Amino acid sequence: MAEDPIPDLYAQYEESMDQFKDLHKEAEGLKNAGYNTGEIKKDISNMEDEKEQLIKRVERLKRKVESHPNSTTMMNVARNLRLERDREKKLAEQRQEQSTLIQHEDQRIRRLQSQLNDTRQAAVGANPEVMLQRLEEETHTNKYIVTEKMPKEMAQQRKILLNLQKVVAEPAMGQSDLDKLHEQITDLTEEIKQLVEKKLRTEDPTDNKSALFKQQAAIIAGKKEGALTNFRDVRDMYHKMSMDLEQKREIAKEAGGGEVLKGEDFKRYVNKLRSKSTIYKKKRQEIAEIRAELGVLSRTEQILRQKDEFITRSLEAVENKKGVTGYRQTQEELEKVSAVKSELDERKGKTLEDISDMVQRLTRTIANKKNSLAPIIKELRPMRQKAQELTNKHAEKKQAYDTAAAGLESNMAKLEQEVRAYHEECSQEESRYHYLHCMMQMVEIQQKKVADEMKAYTSADPYARKKTFRELYQRKVQEQENLGKGLREQQKTVRENHGPSLRQMKMWKDVERLLECKRHCFELSGGLSGGLGGGGVYGEQPPAVLEEDRLVM
């Protein structure tokens, strides 16, 4: 770099590199844009052809419509129809948008309802103190994330960004500069180690009481960081599982499965199904036994009916033989009437006796109840007053609880909004971190390419120098110059030989016409003796000598 031409050449090299980078970016942008001039020109020509066809078609339709007697009325009707169709299309699009918005709002309502149900289930058996304690824990956790963890991470990212900006702002360094930096880093590291060892030797372990506390603070800070990381992972997993559960519920509802049970409701439902299954099995066994018994009884009844019919026929035959037909039926009817009469008499007597007994029992029961309830009534009077006081107190407490719950819900909504804002900010910072990380990798790759280029350029190995971009571009430029030089020489040769070549071509055309004339004359002569056979052209003879029947050149 101390020589005179080297700084200028190096400045030109840097300018060329910058130009190459800009051109490369533009080329990549054009490649990624997907534009192609040939395709664009082709599309433009196709659209122009279609435009001409449409113009011709419109003119043809105008001429056809103008010949119609009611053309103006029909055109107005057609225009109105088109406007109404456009309006109908817009209304359909608006309807689709409204339906989509309604679906989104329904999903949002279901999601909020699910969150509300989860919150209510979590609040079952809880009191305001427990809820306040939970909210305070969440607030402390979020506060720690926002005030301690995130500023540290942001400071680290800013520090990395500043280092990257410094690296980018630094001029290109050679291998010697890099070696110097490595030596400085090594010297500083050794100096730091020596200072640490010197400090450890000079300090008294008994006097250094703060080391233990520092160690404990570092351990607690590490545990705190680990707990915070676990908390964030668990919270993310909870949100993910909640979303999956909501999707599964939506799928179950769409499939017609009704509301999905969970927790204690599902356990009660399973126990209920088990008890019903046991009862069903018992009832089925009882039905089987009853059916078997019914078959036996049906067969017995059938046998008895057959015997009764046989006995009845036998009695009728005996009555006919003795001349007392119908005696058995009359006797059965008299027995039935007497049985009914006796049963009615017994019922009347029993009814009177039952009524009298019931009256006596009720009288005794009322007296007993009065005697037994008298002391209870005496004790109940102060209890009623106490119950009234407790009811009033319960109403007051309930009102206070509802007020506190409403305040907590409003505070919880505010905290949820803050947490949501913090989450969004975290996601933005994470995306920014990934972007900066990618930019850092790109800068490292570019720096590596520049270092490789400089190393190859400053290397004494000619084979390595041939691999540099400068050598490559110089070879390509030289090849293109040689190719252009050869093409210019070829063009010069073509220009110089153009006139003689034209004359030679004209002479060959004259020869061709002469030979064609010769062939034509030969055909007209009809094959005279000693014609032109064998070509009739001899180079040994003097040119244009006309003999008897041949032409010798």
Side-chain angles (χ1 to χ4, degrees):
M1 296 296 291
E3 297 179 1
D4 293 334
I6 298 300
D8 297 334
L9 292 174
Y10 188 72
Q12 293 178 2
Y13 166 73
E14 288 183 347
E15 291 178 357
S16 301
M17 287 294 294
D18 294 334
Q19 293 177 1
F20 171 73
K21 289 177 182 178
D22 296 334
L23 293 173
H24 183 69
K25 288 180 181 178
E26 292 179 0
E28 290 294 330
L30 292 174
K31 287 180 182 179
N32 295 326
Y35 297 116
N36 192 351
T37 56
E39 293 181 357
I40 293 172
K41 290 179 180 179
K42 187 176 179 181
D43 294 337
I44 291 171
S45 61
N46 292 330
M47 286 190 287
E48 288 178 352
D49 296 336
E50 291 178 359
K51 182 180 178 181
E52 292 177 357
Q53 292 177 3
L54 289 172
I55 291 170
K56 292 178 181 178
R57 186 176 178 184
V58 169
E59 291 177 354
R60 187 170 60 252
L61 290 173
K62 281 183 178 180
R63 289 193 298 271
K64 186 176 179 181
V65 170
E66 286 175 357
S67 61
H68 197 274
N70 297 325
S71 60
T72 307
T73 307
M74 297 296 289
M75 289 292 290
N76 293 328
V77 172
R79 188 180 298 107
N80 294 329
L81 178 61
R82 181 174 57 79
L83 293 174
E84 291 298 328
R85 284 184 178 174
D86 293 340
R87 184 181 176 188
E88 183 182 1
K89 186 177 180 181
K90 289 180 181 178
L91 290 173
E93 291 177 356
Q94 290 179 2
R95 183 180 178 184
Q96 184 68 27
E97 290 177 358
Q98 294 295 328
S99 62
T100 305
L101 290 174
I102 289 169
Q103 290 178 1
H104 290 320
E105 292 299 328
D106 291 338
Q107 292 178 0
R108 183 170 175 271
I109 289 169
R110 286 194 292 269
R111 185 171 63 254
L112 292 174
Q113 189 68 31
S114 176
Q115 292 178 1
L116 180 60
N117 293 330
D118 295 337
T119 305
R120 287 178 177 175
Q121 289 180 1
V124 172
N127 50 18
E129 289 78 6
V130 176
M131 295 177 70
L132 284 172
Q133 186 177 1
R134 292 178 183 174
L135 291 174
E136 286 177 357
E137 290 176 357
E138 292 181 1
T139 305
H140 288 312
T141 305
N142 295 325
K143 185 176 179 181
Y144 172 73
I145 294 171
V146 174
T147 57
E148 296 184 14
K149 187 173 180 60
M150 289 183 64
K152 291 180 181 178
E153 294 178 355
M154 291 173 67
Q156 291 177 0
Q157 296 299 325
R158 288 196 183 97
K159 189 175 180 181
I160 294 170
L161 181 60
L162 290 174
N163 293 330
L164 291 174
Q165 290 177 353
K166 289 179 181 178
V167 171
V168 173
E170 288 290 333
M173 293 187 296
Q175 187 64 34
S176 60
D177 297 331
L178 294 174
D179 294 336
K180 290 180 180 178
L181 289 175
H182 284 299
E183 290 177 359
Q184 291 179 3
I185 291 168
T186 305
D187 296 337
L188 291 173
T189 305
E190 292 294 332
E191 187 176 356
I192 290 168
K193 288 182 180 178
Q194 292 176 3
L195 290 173
V196 170
E197 291 177 356
K198 184 177 179 181
K199 182 179 179 182
L200 292 174
R201 286 196 300 269
T202 56
E203 287 181 351
D204 189 2
T206 58
D207 295 336
N208 191 6
K209 297 180 180 180
S210 62
L212 180 62
F213 297 105
K214 289 182 180 179
Q215 186 178 3
Q216 291 179 357
I219 293 170
I220 292 170
K223 289 182 179 180
K224 196 173 183 181
E225 292 287 338
L228 179 61
T229 305
N230 293 329
F231 171 73
R232 295 174 68 179
D233 295 338
V234 171
R235 187 170 57 185
D236 295 337
M237 187 181 293
Y238 171 74
H239 290 307
K240 185 178 179 181
M241 296 298 292
S242 299
M243 293 175 65
D244 293 338
L245 179 61
E246 186 65 24
Q247 292 177 359
K248 297 295 184 183
R249 287 179 179 175
E250 293 295 332
I251 293 169
K253 287 183 180 179
E254 290 177 359
E259 186 178 359
V260 180
L261 300 177
K262 59 182 181 178
E264 297 295 330
D265 296 334
F266 182 73
K267 290 181 180 180
R268 287 195 293 271
Y269 179 70
V270 171
N271 294 328
K272 188 177 180 181
L273 286 178
R274 287 176 180 174
S275 61
K276 286 185 177 181
S277 177
T278 305
I279 294 170
Y280 169 73
K281 291 178 181 179
K282 290 180 180 180
K283 297 295 182 183
R284 188 173 60 182
Q285 186 176 2
E286 291 177 1
I287 289 170
E289 293 175 357
I290 290 170
R291 285 178 179 173
E293 188 176 356
L294 178 62
V296 174
L297 293 175
S298 299
R299 180 59 181 168
T300 304
E301 182 183 6
Q302 186 178 2
I303 293 169
L304 292 174
R305 286 182 183 277
Q306 290 177 359
K307 289 183 179 181
D308 182 61
E309 290 177 357
F310 178 72
I311 293 169
T312 303
R313 286 195 297 271
S314 300
L315 289 174
E316 288 178 355
V318 171
E319 288 176 356
N320 291 330
K321 186 176 180 182
K322 299 294 183 179
V324 285
T325 303
Y327 174 75
R328 186 179 60 82
Q329 293 180 356
T330 304
Q331 188 176 3
E332 288 179 355
E333 291 177 357
L334 289 172
E335 289 178 355
K336 288 180 181 179
V337 171
S338 62
V340 169
K341 183 177 179 299
S342 60
E343 187 176 355
L344 290 173
D345 294 337
E346 289 178 358
R347 285 181 180 177
K348 287 178 181 179
K350 288 181 178 179
T351 301
L352 293 173
E353 291 177 358
D354 292 337
I355 290 170
S356 61
D357 293 336
M358 187 182 294
V359 170
Q360 292 177 2
R361 284 198 303 272
L362 289 173
T363 304
R364 288 194 299 269
T365 304
I366 290 169
N368 293 328
K369 292 293 182 182
K370 285 181 179 180
N371 296 327
S372 61
L373 289 174
I376 295 173
I377 292 170
K378 292 180 181 179
E379 295 176 358
L380 185 61
R381 288 173 183 173
M383 292 293 180
R384 285 178 179 175
Q385 294 178 357
K386 189 175 181 180
Q388 186 66 30
E389 293 175 357
L390 291 174
T391 303
N392 296 330
K393 190 175 181 181
H394 175 264
E396 293 176 358
K397 295 293 184 180
K398 185 177 180 182
Q399 185 177 2
Y401 172 77
D402 293 336
T403 305
L408 290 174
E409 287 180 357
S410 62
N411 293 330
M412 185 171 63
K414 292 180 182 178
L415 291 173
E416 287 179 354
Q417 291 179 358
E418 292 178 359
V419 170
R420 195 177 298 109
Y422 292 147
H423 277 301
E424 293 177 356
E425 189 175 355
C426 287
S427 62
Q428 292 177 359
E429 292 297 331
E430 287 179 0
S431 63
R432 186 179 176 188
Y433 164 73
H434 291 302
Y435 172 74
L436 293 175
H437 185 66
C438 294
M439 292 297 293
M440 183 176 68
Q441 290 180 353
M442 291 173 66
V443 170
E444 289 177 355
I445 293 169
Q446 292 177 359
Q447 186 179 4
K448 186 178 179 182
K449 286 183 179 178
V450 172
D452 294 338
E453 181 73 14
M454 290 296 298
K455 183 178 180 181
Y457 181 71
T458 56
S459 177
D461 188 4
Y463 179 72
R465 294 185 65 182
K466 288 182 180 179
K467 293 183 179 180
T468 60
F469 289 104
R470 180 172 181 173
E471 296 293 334
L472 178 62
Y473 291 144
Q474 286 180 354
R475 287 198 300 272
K476 288 186 178 180
V477 170
Q478 188 65 33
E479 290 175 359
Q480 295 297 324
E481 289 179 353
N482 294 332
L483 182 61
K485 186 176 180 180
L487 292 173
R488 285 192 295 272
E489 291 177 356
Q490 187 177 359
Q491 184 181 9
K492 183 178 179 182
T493 304
V494 170
R495 286 180 179 176
E496 290 175 354
N497 296 328
H498 181 66
S501 297
L502 286 176
R503 289 193 297 273
Q504 187 178 4
M505 186 176 66
K506 186 176 180 182
M507 291 173 66
W508 278 108
K509 286 184 179 179
D510 294 339
V511 171
E512 184 180 1
R513 285 198 301 270
L514 186 60
L515 292 174
E516 184 67 26
C517 181
K518 180 181 175 182
R519 186 182 63 79
H520 185 63
C521 292
F522 177 75
E523 290 178 355
L524 291 175
S525 64
L528 297 177
S529 60
L532 300 177
V537 179
Y538 301 95
E540 295 81 10
Q541 298 295 331
V545 178
L546 182 61
E547 296 183 359
E548 296 179 354
D549 57 353
R550 59 187 175 179
L551 177 65
V552 179
M553 297 181 67

